[in-house]
């Protein structure tokens, strides 16, 4: 439920409207199917690895263990914070952020503020409610601890599933036949329906950001059983939910409906003239409800969408803080940047990385205020940010597929040694603890995920200028993240001069690597432990409060002793 809460935000209600306007019902449905397949293939590999190695900041650790140490830092930074780039474009400024859950925290708040336009809220009330009060409330929810956050997001995830499923049922109940329009293309953006379908794939990807969240939170899980089913099912569930609702949406709303969102990034349209027509909402599900003549239902749905966007922002802040904590916990405190060690510490009362939380919230907390300046539009920010985020998301997914492929090949190289010496790491043994639906087909799904991610990032993101004139803005959105990431990788290589991880023929090297990832968890924690209080007290020189492992997770159960804290930051297992 927590993972679902982190994924379902404004995409399924807003960006799918942009996709429908560009590619018609056929292109939109095709894009959702393709990205769903990619998400499933990516998560098959991630699910297997986190069941075996639930390490802190797992996406970074897997790349470090099986691919390259310097590339792992690039992945970690892409997962949290890369770069902001500003460029003057015609009469308006545009912002091009790179993939980061810290920025997604801001994106969802901006989306929630945009949804409030349905009630014609003035700029003052929008600013106070969404740009001032909402971030503070979400920050304190995360400060409260994992247990409270978990319950809030569990309830939020359940309510969002009800919203999406209920919305889908409503759309099917009042459906028309707009889906029969098939593949179409907006002539201002794409010269034919094939280019239009390719054009919207990076946009649709934004709706799947967060399926890998389980890899970030795996270290805080109670046991392997609590990891297995969510990691197996998350991609399939999100794909099914999205397809169910999207089919209902394209049944009801025509791709030529004037209330659909204006397309800003890469468009040759005159955005000034299109903005003169005011619509209460540009969310596709509300357009359908208004067209159906319902008086109060659109307002209720709009309120649910605001809740969904804020809930997703809450989860994004949680993920960003854990990713930042996972990177900075290995920084040597005695080097020049030793003040960064604060970001790698947790508050001993509840195990929350408070400094990492605060840094993640502040890093992009200023972003929503940009639209208060003349020339910035909420829709403009949402479109540019979502496409940029999708590009970096796909690169992170590709890195996880590559890590899994190398992990699989290394295991296969020492298959005999694993069977006799380390059967707990032998994925071909009947006692192997990890379980995924497509495990018997690996590494084919991982290769499919790797290839499709790279194809969407490099050829497909250039579709914005296949039919229109290429501009600096379009190139920045498509290639800004890969260029910055490559530059950072090369700089680190020049400094560290470390080679990539070689798959040594000595099985002892493989065993050492697997042991280094060996944050072991029980298959199932005894039920009696789950009934303990939120905190338990231990007397170790002085009375201290330690979070209960069964409620707050293994990360929060670590005793905060100075030698343990320093040792963890140095990468040692104590």
């Amino acid at each position: 439920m927590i993972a679902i809460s982190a994924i379902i935000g404004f995409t399924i209600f807003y960006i799918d409207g942009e996709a429908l306007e560009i590619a018609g019902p056929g292109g939109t449905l095709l894009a959702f199917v393709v990205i769903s397949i990619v998400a499933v293939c990516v998560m098959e590999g991630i699910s297997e690895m986190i069941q075996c190695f639930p390490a802190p900041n797992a996406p970074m650790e897997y790349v470090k263990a099986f691919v390259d140490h310097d590339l792992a830092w690039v992945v970690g930074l892409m997962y949290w914070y890369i770069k902001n780039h500003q460029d003057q474009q015609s009469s308006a400024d545009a912002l091009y952020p790179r993939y980061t859950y810290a920025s997604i925290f801001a994106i969802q708040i901006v989306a929630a503020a945009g949804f409030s336009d349905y009630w014609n809220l003035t700029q003052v009330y929008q600013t106070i409610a969404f740009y001032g009060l909402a971030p503070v409330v979400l920050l304190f929810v995360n400060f409260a601890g994992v247990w409270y956050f978990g319950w809030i997001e569990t309830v939020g995830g359940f309510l969002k599933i009800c919203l999406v499923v209920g919305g889908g049922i409503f759309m099917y109940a009042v459906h028309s036949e707009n889906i029969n329009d098939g593949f179409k293309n907006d002539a201002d953006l794409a010269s034919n329906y094939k280019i239009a379908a390719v054009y919207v794939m990076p946009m649709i990807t934004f709706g799947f950001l967060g399926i890998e969240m389980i890899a970030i939170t795996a270290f805080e899980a109670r046991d392997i059983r609590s990891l297995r089913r969510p990691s197996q099912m998350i991609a399939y569930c999100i794909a099914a939910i999205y397809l169910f609702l999207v089919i209902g949406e394209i049944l009801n709303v025509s791709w030529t409906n004037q209330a659909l969102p204006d397309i800003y990034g890469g468009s040759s349209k005159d955005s000034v003239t299109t903005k003169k027509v005011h619509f209460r909402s540009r969310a596709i599900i509300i357009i359908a409800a208004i067209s159906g003549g319902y008086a109060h239902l659109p307002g209720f749905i709009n309120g649910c969408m605001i809740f969904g966007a804020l809930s997703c922002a809450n989860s994004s802040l949680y993920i960003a803080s854990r990713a930042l904590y996972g990177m900075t916990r290995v920084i040597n405190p005695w080097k020049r940047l030793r003040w960064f060690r604060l970001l790698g510490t947790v508050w001993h009362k509840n195990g929350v990385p408070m400094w990492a939380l605060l840094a993640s919230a502040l890093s992009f907390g200023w972003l929503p205020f940009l639209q208060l300046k003349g020339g910035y539009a909420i829709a403009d920010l949402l479109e540019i940010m979502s496409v940029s985020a999708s590009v970096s998301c796909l690169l992170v997914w590709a890195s996880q597929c590559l890590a899994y492929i190398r992990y699989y090949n290394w295991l296969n190289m020492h298959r005999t040694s694993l069977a006799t010496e380390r059967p707990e790491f032998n994925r071909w043994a009947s006692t192997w603890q990890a379980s995924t639906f497509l495990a018997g087909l690996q590494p084919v799904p991982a290769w499919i995920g790797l290839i499709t991610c790279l194809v969407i990032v490099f050829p497909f993101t250039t579709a914005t200028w296949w039919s229109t004139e290429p501009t600096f803005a379009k190139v920045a959105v498509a290639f800004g993240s890969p260029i910055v990431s490559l530059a950072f990788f090369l700089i680190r290589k020049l400094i560290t001069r470390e080679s990539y991880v070689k798959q040594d023929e000595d099985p002892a090297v493989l065993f050492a690597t697997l042991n280094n990832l060996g944050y072991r968890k029980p298959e199932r924690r005894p039920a009696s432990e789950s009934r303990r209080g939120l905190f338990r007290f231990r007397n170790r020189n002085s009375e201290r409060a330690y979070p209960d492992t069964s409620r707050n997770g293994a990360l929060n159960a670590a005793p905060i002793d100075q030698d343990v804290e320093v040792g963890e930051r140095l990468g040692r297992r104590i």
Side-chain angles (χ1 to χ4, degrees), residues 80-352:
W80 183 81
Y81 179 93
I82 290 292
K83 178 180 173 64
N84 295 317
H85 176 77
Q86 293 185 3
D87 175 61
Q88 189 76 15
Q89 181 183 0
S90 64
S91 62
D93 293 320
L95 183 75
Y96 306 103
R98 305 297 159 236
Y99 177 53
T100 157
Y101 271 103
S103 72
I104 294 174
F105 168 68
I107 294 174
Q108 298 291 348
I109 291 177
V110 171
F115 291 149
S116 69
D117 286 341
Y118 177 84
W119 294 297
N120 295 319
L121 285 185
T122 63
Q123 190 74 75
V124 173
Y125 289 116
Q126 269 192 0
T127 302
I128 293 174
F130 294 99
Y131 305 153
L133 184 60
V136 173
V137 171
L138 297 181
L139 187 61
F140 275 94
V141 167
N142 277 271
F143 278 161
V146 177
W147 188 78
Y148 297 103
F149 169 86
W151 271 109
I152 291 172
E153 287 306 304
T154 298
V155 174
F158 176 76
L159 293 177
K160 284 200 275 190
I161 290 177
C162 292
L163 169 63
V164 174
V165 174
I169 294 173
F170 161 73
M171 301 292 264
Y172 284 104
V174 299
H175 78 278
S176 57
E177 300 297 332
N178 290 300
I179 196 172
N180 293 331
D181 291 338
F183 291 89
K184 298 293 182 179
N185 62 285
D186 186 334
D188 291 320
L189 299 168
S191 58
N192 58 61
Y193 71 89
K194 297 177 183 177
I195 294 178
V198 169
Y199 189 114
V200 301
M201 285 186 186
M203 300 167 60
I204 298 300
T205 303
F206 187 80
F208 290 81
L209 302 192
I211 61 167
E212 75 291 333
M213 172 190 175
I214 296 176
I216 289 290
T217 61
F219 190 50
E220 299 182 71
R222 291 180 55 224
D223 49 42
I224 294 299
R225 186 180 180 183
S226 65
L227 279 175
R228 181 172 296 120
R229 191 61 64 185
S231 65
Q232 287 176 335
M233 297 295 298
I234 185 64
Y236 295 94
C237 289
I238 292 299
I241 291 172
Y242 278 3
L243 290 173
F244 176 74
L245 182 58
V246 166
I247 293 174
E249 289 175 338
I250 62 182
L251 277 170
N252 283 274
V253 179
S254 171
W255 74 284
T256 58
N257 192 304
Q258 293 299 309
L260 290 173
D262 289 327
I263 309 299
Y264 291 83
S267 175
S268 60
K269 290 182 178 180
D270 184 355
S271 59
V272 176
T273 60
T274 57
K275 290 177 186 176
K276 289 182 179 179
V277 182
H278 175 72
F279 297 95
R280 295 189 67 183
S281 177
R282 293 184 179 273
I284 193 168
I285 190 171
I286 295 183
I287 294 172
I290 293 175
S291 300
Y294 294 90
H296 304 293
L297 183 61
F300 172 76
I301 296 175
N302 194 70
C304 293
M305 292 193 309
I306 291 176
F307 167 79
L310 293 178
S311 174
C312 193
N314 189 35
S315 299
S316 298
L317 180 59
Y318 171 86
I319 301 173
S321 66
R322 268 52 181 186
L324 183 59
Y325 166 81
M327 287 189 294
T328 54
R329 65 190 290 273
V330 298
I331 293 178
N332 190 328
W334 310 117
K335 291 188 177 180
R336 294 180 180 178
L337 299 179
R338 60 183 182 180
W339 59 273
F340 272 112
R341 73 181 188 271
L342 289 174
L343 302 176
T345 60
V346 296
W347 176 240
H348 68 276
K349 292 289 186 180
N350 58 8
V352 173

Side-chain angles (χ1 to χ4, degrees), residues 350-406:
N350 58 8
V352 173
M354 288 192 172
W355 286 106
L357 263 172
L358 189 61
S360 299
L362 294 179
S363 61
F364 281 96
W366 49 268
L367 189 58
F369 293 95
L370 289 180
Q371 66 90 26
L372 300 179
K373 178 183 176 182
Y376 282 96
I378 287 180
D380 199 359
L381 281 173
L382 292 180
E383 182 182 334
I384 294 171
M385 292 170 71
S386 61
V387 174
S388 298
S390 298
V391 170
S392 292
C393 163
L394 288 164
L395 291 176
V396 172
W397 286 2
S399 72
Q400 300 307 294
C401 291
L402 180 60
Y404 179 84
I405 290 169
R406 290 181 59 81

Side-chain angles (χ1 to χ4, degrees), residues 412-428:
N412 194 40
M413 183 186 302
H414 300 291
R415 191 165 177 172
T416 303
S417 299
L418 286 170
T420 56
E421 300 179 41
R422 301 302 298 272
E424 68 272 21
F425 294 133
N426 183 14
R427 71 179 306 277
W428 296 275

Side-chain angles (χ1 to χ4, degrees), residues 29-47 200-202 204-212 231-232 234-236 238-240 242-243 390-402 404 438 442-457 460:
L29 187 57
L30 175 63
F32 269 99
V33 170
V34 170
I35 302 303
S36 295
I37 294 173
V38 175
V40 166
C41 290
V42 170
M43 275 308 299
E44 282 290 315
I46 293 177
S47 175
V200 301
M201 285 186 186
I204 298 300
T205 303
F206 187 80
F208 290 81
L209 302 192
I211 61 167
E212 75 291 333
S231 65
Q232 287 176 335
I234 185 64
Y236 295 94
I238 292 299
Y242 278 3
L243 290 173
S390 298
V391 170
S392 292
C393 163
L394 288 164
L395 291 176
V396 172
W397 286 2
S399 72
Q400 300 307 294
C401 291
L402 180 60
Y404 179 84
L438 304 180
Q442 292 286 12
V444 173
W447 276 108
I448 292 174
L450 174 62
I451 294 171
T452 51
C453 284
L454 296 179
V455 168
I456 294 174
V457 166
F460 286 6

Side-chain angles (χ1 to χ4, degrees), residues 492-561:
R492 273 197 59 89
K493 275 297 179 190
L494 290 175
I495 295 174
T496 63
R497 299 185 181 278
E498 292 183 1
S499 178
Y500 65 93
V501 176
K502 296 181 180 179
Q503 297 179 337
D504 202 287
E505 295 183 359
D506 184 359
V509 177
L510 171 62
F511 298 159
T513 300
L514 299 179
N515 286 333
N516 198 44
L517 284 173
Y519 295 85
R520 310 302 295 172
K521 290 183 180 293
E523 173 65 22
R524 185 176 184 181
R525 192 172 298 279
S528 58
E529 292 190 20
S530 64
R531 293 192 292 270
R532 295 180 183 176
L534 179 60
F535 297 103
R536 68 177 184 270
F537 291 89
R538 293 176 54 186
N539 187 8
R540 183 180 178 185
N541 299 328
S542 63
E543 190 178 68
R544 286 173 174 260
Y546 298 101
D548 189 297
T549 309
S550 64
R551 301 290 291 276
N552 276 23
L555 169 63
N556 301 332
I560 306 303
D561 206 7

